[in-house]
Amino acid sequence: MTRLITAGILLAFIIGCCAISSVTITSYANNLTELLDDAESVANNGDMEGARALAQKAEAAYTNSEGIMFLFVYHSLVEDLGEELATLPNLATSETKDDFLSQLDLVRVIVTHLRRDNRPSLRSIF
Amino acid sequence: MLVSLIRTAILYIAVVAGLRIMGKRQIADMQPNELVITILISEIASIPIQDVNQPILSGITAIALLVAMEVMLSVLALKSGWIRSLINGRPVLVIHHGKIDQTAMKSLRMTVDDLMESLRQNQIFDLEQVEFALVETNGNISIMLKSRYQPLTVGQAGIDSGDKGLPVPVICDGKLQPHFMRALSVSKHKVRGLLKSRKLSPNQVFLMTLDAEGNQTLITKEPKT
């Protein structure tokens, strides 16, 4: 009976970890996607200062949640995301607008990977 | 380097805790599923140790899930004979009334050499002596000899040796063993009294055993050189 209770506690721990991981990553990915989308539309409207501010906000969001992300996500993916995000603010100028937009797409792809690897699917399981 | 060491220590604790929760069994006595789970746990633990890129939590949760599933499966097997036979299989008679069951051996993919080897490991060198032989679910072979080859027991000889009960260690390396003393319903006071009659204190004793009838074995510590 004690073993069964222990097994129950272990299952509760696993479910807790999975729930926390899923909620954390999804909310972080949603937040980041929103900021990237906003940065893209602001850049397309020609407001590169606004785009830079949003890129810095996205970078700050990454810095805040980096620690908890390392708990659940393959570390190299989190590091890649951090590196790519760090280049965004410097590209937010009128001369490098195209580079900024393509860098945004690259970051978006990494965020998609992050979201997809965390969610059970045919791809992530098999 | 330090990170690697800390991760290894954490996973070591997780593996030991997992194996403790699953229960004590020697590798030779394990059922096939228990053996597989044990190997899997050690394999899973080794991945986050080698790859510091992998979150350690993924290894720990995988170990926890395997342990939880194994415990639940063993409880189900305990409750249901059908599940037990599904997971562990059933013992198979390979010698029935002194006759080898070739069909059973074929289904077990067991050769005559395997059978003879198992018999020899059980100190039986002549097939003629065997009445029944069963291959157990863990792969061990259990043998019942024909009555004329079975060793004479004390009961058959009509000798009443009396059951003395199990001698238990009440002092090991100078330390009283409350767990064993409780099993024998002996108090610390009584043990100290027994030692006092020999002019000894517990820390002078290397080993002291007692049985239900009060028979004792006492080995004192060797003097330090």
Side-chain angles (χ1 to χ4, degrees):
Chain A
M1 193 62 193
T2 321
R3 289 229 164 92
L4 204 58
I5 293 168
T6 317
I9 294 167
L10 283 179
L11 274 183
F13 164 73
I14 297 160
I15 293 166
C17 283
C18 290
I20 292 169
S21 133
S22 182
V23 168
T24 311
I25 293 168
T26 309
S27 88
Y28 172 68
N30 288 344
N31 182 30
L32 204 60
T33 309
E34 213 170 282
L35 286 168
L36 297 175
D37 288 346
D38 288 351
E40 188 180 27
S41 63
V42 167
N44 283 332
N45 290 337
D47 179 8
M48 294 314 286
E49 272 308 308
R52 176 197 285 265
L54 284 166
Q56 280 170 340
K57 214 170 164 185
E59 203 185 345
Y62 165 82
T63 313
N64 286 339
S65 47
E66 183 190 26
I68 197 146
M69 297 275 283
F70 273 119
L71 282 178
F72 306 116
V73 183
Y74 208 72
H75 296 181
S76 57
L77 189 63
V78 183
E79 281 160 3
D80 285 351
L81 181 63
E83 280 168 22
E84 300 303 337
L85 266 174
T87 60
L88 268 179
N90 294 335
L91 292 171
T93 59
S94 307
E95 295 79 41
T96 54
K97 185 180 160 189
D98 289 343
D99 292 340
F100 178 73
L101 291 175
S102 66
Q103 185 68 11
L104 269 181
D105 285 339
L106 180 63
V107 175
R108 230 186 249 125
V109 169
I110 299 176
V111 174
T112 309
H113 279 303
L114 197 71
R115 206 198 306 259
R116 212 163 45 180
D117 287 355
N118 181 53
R119 202 176 288 159
S121 64
L122 279 177
R123 181 191 172 275
S124 61
I125 293 171
F126 298 102
Chain B
M1 181 73 174
L2 193 62
V3 171
S4 215
L5 293 178
I6 294 168
R7 286 168 73 95
T8 307
I10 292 170
L11 283 160
Y12 172 76
I13 292 165
V15 170
V16 171
L19 294 180
R20 280 291 290 129
I21 292 167
M22 285 199 324
K24 289 179 205 164
R25 287 252 193 151
Q26 296 214 349
I27 285 177
D29 298 332
M30 281 181 179
Q31 295 294 339
N33 64 314
E34 292 170 332
L35 185 66
V36 168
I37 295 286
T38 310
I39 294 168
L40 261 182
I41 286 176
S42 62
E43 283 289 320
I44 287 171
S46 73
I47 298 168
I49 289 175
Q50 290 167 353
D51 183 3
V52 286
N53 254 325
Q54 173 137 2
I56 198 166
L57 205 57
S58 66
I60 291 174
T61 48
I63 291 170
L65 183 63
L66 284 176
V67 170
M69 284 175 77
E70 169 58 27
V71 170
M72 284 190 290
L73 205 63
S74 64
V75 171
L76 283 177
L78 201 70
K79 303 268 179 204
S80 157
W82 181 78
I83 292 176
R84 196 162 49 242
S85 63
L86 188 75
I87 298 165
N88 300 333
R90 288 180 186 280
V92 177
L93 263 176
V94 284
I95 298 179
H96 191 73
H97 288 301
K99 190 169 176 277
I100 293 177
D101 186 339
Q102 294 181 25
T103 318
M105 282 182 64
K106 214 173 268 179
S107 73
L108 289 170
R109 292 182 298 279
M110 188 182 201
T111 63
V112 179
D113 289 339
D114 294 335
L115 178 64
M116 293 309 291
E117 189 181 321
S118 299
L119 293 179
R120 286 195 297 273
Q121 282 170 350
N122 282 282
Q123 305 301 315
I124 295 156
F125 294 89
D126 185 1
L127 198 63
E128 177 57 29
Q129 296 179 355
V130 181
E131 179 72 4
F132 292 104
L134 280 125
V135 177
E136 303 291 355
T137 53
N138 61 3
N140 287 343
I141 195 158
S142 302
I143 293 152
M144 186 182 167
L145 295 173
K146 286 178 180 165
S147 56
R148 62 180 176 279
Y149 294 111
Q150 284 178 9
L152 188 67
T153 64
V154 173
Q156 286 167 331
I159 305 163
D160 183 15
S161 62
D163 292 319
K164 290 175 185 169
L166 180 72
V168 293
V170 288
I171 300 177
C172 287
D173 205 13
K175 290 189 178 67
L176 289 160
Q177 304 293 314
H179 172 73
F180 289 117
M181 284 157 66
R182 267 197 302 277
L184 204 64
S185 306
V186 179
S187 66
K188 280 183 187 176
H189 188 72
K190 190 184 171 186
V191 175
R192 285 183 198 279
L194 288 170
L195 289 175
K196 211 171 181 181
S197 65
R198 295 194 183 200
K199 292 179 180 156
L200 285 169
S201 66
N203 56 12
Q204 291 174 291
V205 178
F206 181 69
L207 176 69
M208 180 181 181
T209 64
L210 275 179
D211 65 23
E213 287 187 342
N215 297 316
Q216 51 181 284
T217 306
L218 204 148
I219 303 166
T220 54
K221 283 185 184 174
E222 287 173 359
K224 283 179 185 164
T225 51

